[in-house]
Amino acid sequence: MIWTKSLETGVAKIDEQHKELFRQVDILVDRNQANRVESTLNFLSSYVAKHFSDEEVLQRINLYPKADFHKKLHVDFTKTFKDLYAQYKSAGNKLLVVLSINKAVIGWLKDHIMTHDKEFAEFYLKKHPPLNK
Ligand SMILES: [Fe+2]
């Protein structure tokens, strides 16, 4: 999955974290060896948690009206990710699960960024116009 400029929200910290998420999900497929997939999944799960929490803090301190709703989207995805992780652990065909994790994570991320993160970014950038523009 290639990162494209259309996924940029304009909030530098969020964009950097999104790029890293995409990079890690790609690594998952490249590293289809049990121990490496597992360490990448572990990294992804803590990186996703950190990224979500950073976004949620940014939304709360900026009094974003949709902060609770946005947080719920994060909570729901975290649950989906945990379920996928459990599937991976118990799966016979690990590659199949790795591919479905890749598809699910990238699909969700693209959708979430394009709709919800960009909506927040628009709100945020109105309050904090970039200095270099
Ligand atoms: Fe988000």
Side-chain angles (χ1 to χ4, degrees), residues 89-110:
K89 284 270 198 190
S90 61
N93 188 341
K94 303 267 190 212
L95 177 61
L96 217 62
V97 184
V98 168
L99 291 174
S100 74
I101 292 178
N102 179 279
K103 215 174 140 203
V105 174
I106 291 294
W108 185 87
L109 264 178
K110 276 167 95 175

Side-chain angles (χ1 to χ4, degrees), residues 14 18 51-52 55 59 70 73-74 108 112-113 116-117:
I14 291 180
H18 285 160
H51 167 63
F52 283 174
E55 270 189 13
Q59 294 185 357
H70 199 115
L73 298 173
H74 289 168
W108 185 87
H112 180 80
I113 292 171
H116 305 289
D117 289 345

